Amino acid sequence: IAEQTASALRAAEPGLVRTPPGGYLLAGEGAVDNRRLIGALRAALAAVGADLIDHRIADLAEVAGDRIVVAAGLDSGALVPGLDGLRGEKGEILRLRRTAWSVPPPRHVVRARWHGRNVYLVPRHDGVVVGATQYEAIDPDDRRPQAGGVADLLSDACELFPGLRTYDLVEAAAGIRPVSADGLPIVRQIDERLIVATGHGRNGIALAPETARRVLDLIGEPA
């Protein structure tokens, strides 16, 4: 990782604000497209003959099977006793779509601290994902984006990368991240039948491979 001057950052990302205060260029920095990942996971499960059942579970006694892995985010606490301290953190995320008149999206994933807030820009084939706010969820069932969070993200993104003003805002969404009491993921065996995996905060996808390996170890299957 090498610290870059404002001119070097502009050379790497011509669309950046003209006077970035400075930063770093991290080779290999990227981002996983969560929607494509879920689609690929569903296809992989179907390919090995897994049954995908869309049904809300209120009690694990309803679930058949020798082993159960609960990975239900914040709702894991309602299914598994003893997950003390599991709480929700809410966050907004925006999706901007490039038009025929828009400037090109960033060449890299851009992460910044802007006006004291964190903001990131992730290029996609049709536009840019802008994220993400983070604050305590008062109502764990509230997935509605707040005006203030959306306004802050749009303002920061368009100041950081002014060409985004020419994009269409096509989605403003909010979600609840499950966070453990100590901020570390909870991946452990509860009893002979039950394993729980939750509490990853905003790093669930990034930690998914290691979480899967740990779950397989607990089940007793080779990774």
Side-chain angles (χ1 to χ4, degrees):
I1 304 174
E3 188 170 3
Q4 306 291 310
T5 64
S7 60
L9 289 173
R10 286 269 298 165
E13 281 293 352
L16 281 177
V17 60
R18 290 190 176 277
T19 55
Y24 298 86
L25 183 61
L26 178 60
E29 170 74 344
V32 174
D33 186 324
N34 59 309
R35 293 182 175 177
R36 292 182 65 186
L37 176 65
I38 295 301
L41 176 60
R42 287 181 174 274
L45 289 170
V48 297
D51 293 325
L52 301 180
I53 302 171
D54 185 3
H55 178 66
R56 187 173 183 84
I57 299 296
D59 188 338
L60 293 180
E62 305 173 30
V63 182
D66 296 332
R67 308 299 292 274
I68 299 173
V69 178
V70 175
L74 188 60
D75 290 335
S76 299
L79 294 170
V80 181
L83 296 184
D84 297 331
L86 191 64
R87 57 186 175 82
E89 286 189 350
K90 187 174 178 179
E92 283 90 17
I93 194 168
L94 310 178
R95 293 178 183 270
L96 310 182
R97 182 173 297 155
R98 186 180 179 184
T99 72
W101 302 275
S102 297
V103 301
R107 299 172 179 173
H108 311 84
V109 176
V110 178
R111 304 184 190 276
R113 183 78 173 170
W114 206 253
H115 298 303
R117 297 183 291 262
N118 292 319
V119 61
Y120 60 75
L121 313 177
V122 181
R124 292 282 192 255
H125 70 281
D126 60 349
V128 178
V129 174
V130 179
T133 58
Q134 183 171 343
Y135 51 93
E136 197 75 20
I138 299 174
D139 179 357
D141 295 322
D142 179 15
R143 262 74 171 181
R144 294 168 296 184
Q146 287 189 354
V150 172
D152 287 343
L153 285 177
L154 269 180
S155 175
D156 293 347
C158 290
E159 286 184 28
L160 181 65
F161 204 91
L164 293 182
R165 294 178 180 274
T166 65
Y167 283 54
D168 290 339
L169 174 61
V170 294
E171 183 179 343
I176 308 293
R177 309 177 185 99
V179 181
S180 67
D182 59 6
L184 299 176
I186 301 169
V187 185
R188 65 172 182 254
Q189 187 150 350
I190 304 300
D191 55 37
E192 291 184 357
R193 186 171 182 244
L194 179 60
I195 295 169
V196 64
T198 188
H200 294 69
R202 63 191 302 154
N203 296 310
I205 287 179
L207 295 175
E210 176 59 22
T211 298
R213 187 199 64 77
R214 176 62 178 153
V215 168
L216 286 173
D217 285 346
L218 292 172
I219 292 175
E221 297 289 340

